[in-house]
Amino acid sequence: MRRATMTGFAALILLAATGMAGAPAEPVPYPDGFRRWVHIKSAVNDPAHAAFGRYGGMYNVYANERALTGYRTGRFPDGATIVFDMRGVETKNNNTQATGRSFIDVMTRDKRRTETGGWGFEEFEGNTRDARNVSNQHREAACFACHATQKPRDYVYSSFTE
């Protein structure tokens, strides 16, 4: 009787593990308070930039505490989140400033997402917290296709200097 119970218990664990592996990943959440995280870098992409059509303007990169660990060690732990905040720009009187937000790109370390190098990706339109531009696995894979070129850097483009 005890052997049958143990066998049944093992089968339940196997079924649960198999079901979880095939389950769709939870959507990447909006990174509340990201503007209070550590600022990693800023840059301006001008019209000569290869991706100016989508990435033209000024951007800022922010990282939560777990992402700082990854920047320092080269390996990002689960829960590390990096935000790419894309804004338009306006130049007046020889002064260039950021204008309205175009979108934010979010990458969150989740080692269960093996198809995308252990990262979840999302893009939120403008200032919204719910208008998602990367709402399905196909589009998330498109984000990863670009980040795959950074595999030696744990799929992260930006660098942090203290």
Side-chain angles (χ1 to χ4, degrees), residues 31-44:
D32 286 318
F34 74 87
R35 293 275 316 239
R36 292 185 300 275
W37 296 356
V38 174
H39 177 256
I40 301 299
K41 72 178 278 185
S42 295
V44 175

Side-chain angles (χ1 to χ4, degrees), residues 2-155:
R2 183 180 167 126
R3 182 178 172 113
T5 302
M6 292 300 288
T7 304
F9 183 68
L12 282 175
I13 290 174
L14 181 61
L15 282 172
T18 304
M20 289 189 326
E26 290 291 318
V28 171
Y30 185 87
D32 286 318
F34 74 87
R35 293 275 316 239
R36 292 185 300 275
W37 296 356
V38 174
H39 177 256
I40 301 299
K41 72 178 278 185
S42 295
V44 175
N45 293 333
D46 64 22
H49 190 277
F52 182 78
R54 180 76 178 138
Y55 291 95
M58 178 181 289
Y59 67 86
N60 297 291
V61 177
Y62 300 94
N64 69 3
E65 286 295 322
R66 289 185 181 207
L68 283 178
T69 298
Y71 280 114
R72 290 179 177 125
T73 65
R75 292 288 164 224
F76 291 80
D78 267 11
T81 302
I82 300 167
V83 174
F84 180 90
D85 184 12
M86 190 75 229
R87 296 176 168 267
V89 293
E90 181 177 82
T91 302
K92 287 184 182 176
N93 300 321
N94 298 316
N95 182 288
T96 301
Q97 294 188 16
T99 60
R101 177 172 289 129
S102 302
F103 57 85
I104 65 168
D105 286 340
V106 181
M107 43 185 308
T108 298
R109 185 66 156 162
D110 180 351
K111 293 183 182 177
R112 295 172 299 175
R113 297 176 186 256
T114 56
E115 314 80 40
T116 53
W119 288 94
F121 297 91
E122 187 59 78
E123 184 173 278
F124 294 89
E125 192 63 34
N127 287 319
T128 69
R129 295 173 185 270
D130 55 2
R132 295 170 178 264
N133 292 336
V134 183
S135 58
N136 62 45
Q137 199 167 9
H138 171 71
R139 292 183 66 193
E140 186 169 278
C143 294
F144 178 65
C146 187
H147 282 267
T149 64
Q150 300 303 307
K151 184 176 181 179
R153 299 170 39 94
D154 210 8
Y155 304 101

